Amino acid sequence: MLFALVQSQVMMKRKPVLVIHGGAWAMPDDGVVAHERGIAEALRAGWAALSGGGTAVDAVEAAVTVMEDDDTFDAGRGSFLTRDGRVQLDALLMSGADLKTGGVACVERLRNPIQAARLVLERSPHVYFVGVGAERFATQHGMRLIDNTELIVPREKERLMRFQVAEAKGEKDTTFSGNLDKEASEAVAASVDEVDREADAVVERAILGTEVLDPTMDSHDTVGAVAMDEYGNLAAGTSTGGTLSKAPGRVGDSSLIGCGCYADNESAAVSLTGWGEPIMKLVLGKWAVDRVAAGASPQEAAAEAIAYLHRRLGGHGGIILMGPDGTFGLAHNTPRMAWGVATDGGMQLGVTRNG
């Protein structure tokens, strides 16, 4: 009898799967190598957890932690700066097995907000902490506070200065509304090469002082991961430094349940990247997992979600989505999105993918 039970448990083990993203945006050519290198490191860390018998939550936390520590990405060190020149971080981690969730937002003195989110998930009756309260909770459970300057890199100081000079010239900021004008909409519908050329032209004109930068073209937004472990449980996590020159205290979609992140074994696990305000208005993460629960494949639901984001609010972004059987989908309507997949068959990664 005992042998039969053990045999049944072994037979029920699933093949783990990990999918991650490092942000959907108009990534320049000279940023591709760094993004692919960072994605590879994150995949290795997450897969080490999964292949060693760890949980999906373990794998997601491990992968996202690596990307938070890599200043290539807009998460942790190297994030965009707020309007007043500081880093404010948001993160969410969710377990699909029991819907346990932990989120933090507007933290300034934690190197790895995804680890703080894990503490909230496991050690608090609450779901979400912000600001000083989140930092206090994290320190009470063993995390070390750092100075905010440790999260700031020179590249982002320069980027903020350029943006604020451009903003002072009166160019319309579409970062938050996500409402594109006709010309921008046509650019989105164009090929990736055409959008890249237009982005380069905009940057060149801005340098010459003849045109102000569209901040949405300079966004290296958000990191995230979804995973299924050998026990068949799903998890999702998303972490971000937010949008360039955001108002202090602004919270985007990344750390909000059902917006930039969600996981439920009965539907799917999802992480999104892109313009936060349109994603929040559509509760797009939950919208996508509900499509999987209704019978769509993860790839179909991913593509539909990004199409819906643009159709309803002119939004730009990307999505990774995993069903309860470990099948997954990826989609984006930006020129590029850093992504990676790890299975027992090996790793795949790239900077463009829809399918």
Side-chain angles (χ1 to χ4, degrees):
M1 185 66 142
L2 178 60
F3 174 77
L5 178 61
V6 171
Q7 187 179 43
S8 174
Q9 289 175 337
V10 170
M11 290 176 63
M12 288 174 61
K13 281 191 175 181
R14 309 285 288 277
K15 292 185 177 181
V17 185
L18 172 66
V19 182
I20 68 176
H21 72 78
W25 62 297
M27 184 192 304
D29 291 343
D30 61 10
V32 170
V33 172
H35 279 79
E36 290 185 336
R37 182 172 57 244
I39 289 291
E41 290 296 325
L43 281 176
R44 280 191 280 270
W47 184 249
L50 279 181
S51 61
T55 67
V57 171
D58 294 333
V60 168
E61 180 190 12
V64 172
T65 292
V66 168
M67 290 187 282
E68 288 176 340
D69 288 339
D70 186 337
D71 66 16
T72 299
F73 303 103
D74 179 30
R77 185 173 184 273
S79 290
F80 280 148
L81 302 182
T82 63
R83 190 172 297 164
D84 57 1
R86 298 178 67 80
V87 168
Q88 286 190 340
L89 304 172
D90 310 332
L92 185 77
L93 184 63
M94 189 165 183
S95 166
D98 49 20
L99 303 188
K100 286 186 177 179
T101 309
V104 297
C106 297
V107 295
E108 297 188 353
R109 297 183 294 166
L110 297 176
R111 183 175 296 277
N112 296 108
I114 195 67
Q115 295 178 8
R118 176 76 181 263
L119 290 173
V120 177
L121 183 154
E122 292 185 336
R123 304 190 186 183
S124 174
H126 308 304
V127 167
Y128 202 91
F129 287 91
V130 300
V132 174
E135 293 171 352
R136 181 181 299 117
F137 178 85
T139 59
Q140 289 170 345
H141 292 84
M143 290 190 73
R144 182 178 69 88
L145 294 182
I146 63 172
D147 192 277
N148 193 253
T149 57
E150 294 184 40
L151 299 171
I152 298 173
V153 298
R155 177 197 66 215
E156 294 309 320
K157 288 183 178 180
E158 296 168 4
R159 193 193 306 269
L160 178 65
M161 182 178 66
R162 291 197 306 270
F163 174 84
Q164 291 182 339
V165 168
E167 187 178 45
K169 294 180 180 179
E171 183 75 359
K172 182 180 178 182
D173 181 357
T174 60
T175 300
F176 300 114
S177 68
N179 294 319
L180 302 177
D181 58 23
K182 183 175 183 295
E183 180 180 352
S185 295
E186 291 172 350
V188 173
S191 70
V192 168
D193 287 342
E194 289 171 339
V195 175
D196 278 341
R197 286 196 295 272
E198 175 61 20
D200 291 341
V202 170
V203 171
E204 183 176 355
R205 290 195 295 271
I207 292 172
L208 295 173
T210 57
E211 182 170 329
V212 180
L213 284 171
D214 177 352
T216 63
M217 299 303 290
D218 202 29
S219 174
H220 63 305
D221 185 66
T222 306
V223 304
V226 295
M228 185 187 74
D229 57 35
E230 65 182 33
Y231 314 104
N233 294 320
L234 298 175
T238 308
S239 181
T240 189
T243 311
L244 178 61
S245 195
K246 67 182 181 183
R250 177 261 185 186
V251 176
D253 68 289
S254 299
S255 64
L256 299 184
I257 299 174
C259 295
C261 185
Y262 194 79
D264 184 348
N265 283 4
E266 296 186 6
S267 54
V270 65
S271 176
L272 286 113
T273 169
W275 297 355
E277 276 64 16
I279 292 172
M280 286 188 283
K281 292 172 185 177
L282 297 173
V283 197
L284 195 59
K286 189 62 165 62
W287 189 97
V289 301
D290 285 348
R291 295 304 179 279
V292 177
S297 73
Q299 184 54 47
E300 290 169 342
E304 289 170 4
I306 295 303
Y308 179 54
L309 173 67
H310 186 259
R311 184 174 69 252
R312 285 296 306 274
L313 294 173
H316 269 181
I319 185 174
I320 57 175
L321 185 62
M322 183 176 294
D325 59 354
T327 58
F328 59 86
L330 302 91
H332 59 99
N333 63 356
T334 53
R336 286 170 170 155
M337 180 177 78
W339 62 272
V341 177
T343 67
D344 59 3
M347 296 193 313
Q348 294 178 287
L349 57 86
V351 293
T352 58
R353 175 155 172 167
N354 280 285

